[in-house]
Amino acid sequence: MERRRFIKSTVISGIALHSFVRAWSKPSSYADMKLAGPKQPVFIYNNWSAYDELSDNKPQTEELAMRELNEVIRLKKLGVQVDYYVMDAFWFDLWGGYRTWHEQHWPNGPDKWLEGCKQNNIKAGMWFSTNLIATQSGRFLEVIDAWKDSLGTDPNIMCLFDGGYLPHMAKTLQIWYDKGVRLFKFDFAYFEAVTPAMKDKFSKDEIFEKNKVAFIKMLADFRKTNPDVLITGYNGFGGSMDNTYTPFEKTPKIDPRWLDVFDTLYCGDPRFSDVPMMNIWRSQDNYSDHQVSAFKAYGMPIRRIDNCAFMIGKTGTCYYRGLHCWKGMLILELARGGWVNVYHGNLELLSEEDGKWFGKVQALYHELQKQDNTVFFGAAPGSGKPYGFYSSHINGGAVCTIVNPSQQMATLGLTINMHPAQAILYTDGGYQPKLEGRNVTLGPEQMVCQRKISPG
C-alpha cells in the first residue's frame, strides 16, 4: 500500500497570495527563481523501502542503515555516483524532539553512520516532518515542553507561526548541520494548523498564509547561514499527485515562493497510473512520467522537479518489486531531466554486473543533465499515447528515450533530428523497435533509448 494512505489527508492545493502579507511574495513565473536549486545534478541514496514502518512493520535500525551504507560504498567502487545518503523517517526518538535518535534501534546514536558517510565522501541527509506528529497508528513524536504552546486545535499537527515549535526546529537543524548533515528533507506539511490562542484571530486563509510565511522565513534564514545545504520538499508543498488524468489543470498548484527555499520539490511517490497496462512496473513509470510533465506544465523548471521514481526493495511501499524491470525504471528516472536523482531501497539486490551497468547509464545521463536542455515531446503520458524525453550535449551527441504506453504497436514521429547517425542503446524485451528516419515504431508498453552519435 502507498505511504500516503497512512498519513493525514494532506492539503496540497496552492493558496493565492493575500494582501495582508507581502513578505516573500514573488511573481507567478518560476523563470527568475535562482536563489535556490542544485548547482549541478546530484545523486542521492534514500533508505526508505529498504525498511517500511507504514505499509509494513519493518523498522529502520542502525544495523539496516549501516548495511545499506556498505552497499553504497560497494556500488561507488563499481562506478555508481552517490553524493548523499538520506536517513528517512523514524530515525528519531518519540520524546526527543528531533534531537535524539530512536533509543531502541539506535542505542549508540548516529555517530558511526555520520562518520562512515564522511570517510567515504558521502554527505549525510535527514528526514523531518514539517509539522505532522501522528499517523493513523498514533503519534510518532510526542509534544516536548518546547513545543507545547504550538500544539494545534487538531492535536496531530503543530502551528508554525505561534509558539516554540518552529524556533526549536530551526535550532535543531543547525545542531545536525554542525554534526555534518548537508541535506534536509521536509515532508507532511499542514498549513491549516493553528493554536487555540490564535484560532479566532485569523481566517482560515490567513492561518494558512501565516504558517507558510513563517516556514519560508525559517528555511531562508537557515540557508543564508548554511549556503551549502540541499533542502528538498515532499508532501504538502503543492502539486496534484492523485491521478494521471489529462489535460493538465491550467491553474498552477505550486506556490512559487517555495522555490526560493527548496532546491527541489517532488511530484509524488511511485504508484500505478490510470493508463490500463499489463505491466504494472511500466504503469509506475507512466505515473512518474506524467507527474513530471504536469509539474513542468505548472511552470516549474525541469531541473527542480524530483521525480522520486527509483524504488527497489522488499517492502510494501515499493510493492515488493525487488529488481523487477529496474533497468527501464533507472533510465526513465534519469531521462526526465531533474537534477536531484534519488535511489531508494535494498541496494544489496544489485549484483556486481548490475552495479557496473548502473554506473554506465548514470554517467551517460549525468553529462546530458548538466546541459539542462531536456525536451518533452509527443503526448501527455496520462493520455496513453506515445511520448518521450530528448536531451542533447554540447558536442553534438544526444539521447532520446521513448515510451509507448498503449496496447497497440505505435509509431512516433520525432520533431528532433536523430538521423542518420543513431543507435539503440536499450529496449525492453520482445519486439525490436524500428528506426526509419525520424519515425520510431515500438511494441505495446515498450520503451526504447536511442542515441544520436556525435559527429566527432
Side-chain angles (χ1 to χ4, degrees):
M1 295 182 68
E2 299 169 21
R3 176 171 58 167
R4 66 192 179 92
R5 293 181 183 175
F6 289 84
I7 63 173
K8 191 171 178 291
S9 179
T10 308
V11 177
I12 57 177
S13 60
I15 297 292
L17 308 186
H18 300 288
S19 59
F20 72 88
V21 56
R22 294 299 180 185
W24 304 102
S25 63
K26 291 289 178 181
S28 59
S29 171
Y30 299 113
D32 61 348
M33 298 288 175
K34 300 185 184 301
L35 297 181
K39 303 300 184 292
Q40 61 181 351
V42 296
F43 302 93
I44 299 166
Y45 171 67
N46 181 301
N47 64 358
W48 184 264
S49 90
Y51 74 100
D52 184 348
E53 300 189 30
L54 293 177
S55 53
D56 263 339
N57 292 311
K58 187 174 182 62
Q60 187 204 89
T61 64
E62 181 177 9
E63 179 184 3
L64 181 147
M66 293 304 296
R67 181 190 72 209
E68 296 305 329
L69 175 58
N70 290 331
E71 293 299 325
V72 170
I73 295 167
R74 176 180 69 91
L75 291 173
K76 281 170 65 74
K77 292 177 180 177
L78 295 173
V80 177
Q81 182 174 337
V82 180
D83 302 306
Y84 295 83
Y85 179 158
V86 174
M87 195 67 62
D88 210 272
F90 310 125
W91 55 265
F92 40 83
D93 191 70
L94 182 66
W95 288 97
Y98 288 122
R99 295 190 181 180
T100 58
W101 287 54
H102 195 293
E103 291 185 359
Q104 179 183 355
H105 297 153
W106 292 81
N108 301 310
D111 290 350
K112 184 178 178 181
W113 172 69
L114 290 169
E115 184 60 25
C117 288
K118 181 179 179 181
Q119 291 299 321
N120 290 279
N121 196 29
I122 301 165
K123 297 176 183 178
M126 293 167 65
W127 179 98
F128 294 85
S129 171
T130 304
N131 64 339
L132 180 73
I133 60 172
T135 67
Q136 293 177 356
S137 300
R139 280 191 177 171
F140 56 82
L141 278 167
E142 292 293 351
V143 181
I144 61 174
D145 288 345
W147 297 0
K148 285 183 177 179
D149 54 355
S150 290
L151 185 62
T153 53
D154 177 342
N156 297 315
I157 51 181
M158 307 297 294
C159 183
L160 297 169
F161 68 88
D162 187 34
Y165 174 79
L166 193 62
H168 186 271
M169 169 74 80
K171 293 178 181 178
T172 301
L173 299 183
Q174 190 62 51
I175 287 171
W176 292 117
Y177 178 91
D178 293 341
K179 288 182 175 291
V181 177
R182 291 296 180 269
L183 189 154
F184 295 84
K185 173 183 174 180
F186 287 94
D187 211 347
F188 304 159
Y190 293 87
F191 297 113
E192 69 269 34
V194 63
T195 59
M198 294 292 170
K199 183 178 184 297
D200 296 327
K201 294 184 178 181
F202 302 102
S203 69
K204 290 182 179 179
D205 284 352
E206 289 174 328
I207 290 166
F208 201 98
E209 182 70 1
K210 288 176 74 65
N211 275 313
K212 287 173 69 175
V213 168
F215 193 62
I216 288 170
K217 184 178 185 306
M218 186 277 286
L219 290 183
D221 289 345
F222 181 65
R223 181 180 291 282
K224 184 177 180 180
T225 303
N226 310 288
D228 60 333
V229 295
L230 198 68
I231 305 176
T232 61
Y234 279 65
N235 290 289
F237 297 104
S240 178
M241 302 175 190
D242 288 340
N243 59 61
T244 54
Y245 302 153
T246 56
F248 300 128
E249 298 176 59
K250 294 182 179 180
T251 303
K253 288 183 172 293
I254 301 171
D255 189 328
R257 293 174 295 176
W258 289 130
L259 291 189
D260 279 348
V261 291
F262 284 112
D263 292 284
T264 56
L265 296 176
Y266 104 132
C267 60
D269 290 320
R271 66 197 73 167
F272 305 127
S273 79
D274 301 289
V275 177
M277 290 188 180
M278 296 293 291
N279 184 342
I280 61 172
W281 311 122
R282 182 49 39 83
S283 178
Q284 280 195 212
D285 292 337
N286 182 258
Y287 170 83
S288 296
D289 291 337
H290 184 87
Q291 286 301 105
V292 172
S293 299
F295 274 53
K296 176 178 177 291
Y298 298 155
M300 276 192 66
I302 293 172
R303 69 181 183 279
R304 309 269 309 263
I305 304 171
D306 171 6
N307 66 75
C308 187
F310 187 91
M311 281 193 184
I312 58 175
K314 307 174 185 178
T315 63
T317 198
C318 61
Y319 307 94
Y320 306 101
R321 74 179 293 163
L323 282 180
H324 289 297
C325 301
W326 74 273
K327 290 185 176 180
M329 177 173 58
L330 174 64
I331 288 172
L332 284 166
E333 195 264 354
L334 292 163
R336 297 177 186 117
W339 277 17
V340 163
N341 302 273
V342 186
Y343 311 115
H344 298 81
N346 295 98
L347 298 181
E348 66 272 17
L349 296 175
L350 296 167
S351 67
E352 181 174 336
E353 182 181 353
D354 293 337
K356 291 178 180 178
W357 191 90
F358 194 122
K360 288 180 180 178
V361 174
Q362 189 186 52
L364 170 66
Y365 278 101
H366 190 192
E367 292 304 313
L368 294 168
Q369 287 182 354
K370 289 179 183 177
Q371 311 306 312
D372 193 24
N373 62 11
T374 299
V375 175
F376 295 12
F377 62 91
S383 70
K385 299 177 182 179
Y387 59 88
F389 309 95
Y390 174 84
S391 299
S392 60
H393 196 276
I394 194 171
N395 69 8
V399 172
C400 193
T401 308
I402 308 162
V403 179
N404 172 20
S406 75
Q407 300 299 302
Q408 295 83 34
M409 302 288 292
T411 298
L412 181 61
L414 306 182
T415 58
I416 36 57
N417 184 12
M418 293 290 293
H419 186 74
Q422 56 184 306
I424 292 178
L425 296 178
Y426 178 86
T427 186
D428 297 322
Y431 178 76
Q432 182 63 27
K434 293 181 180 179
L435 309 179
E436 297 177 347
R438 295 190 179 186
N439 293 327
V440 182
T441 301
L442 298 87
E445 300 183 19
Q446 190 170 43
M447 183 200 75
V448 61
C449 175
Q450 63 184 100
R451 184 178 186 181
K452 175 183 176 183
I453 309 300
S454 168

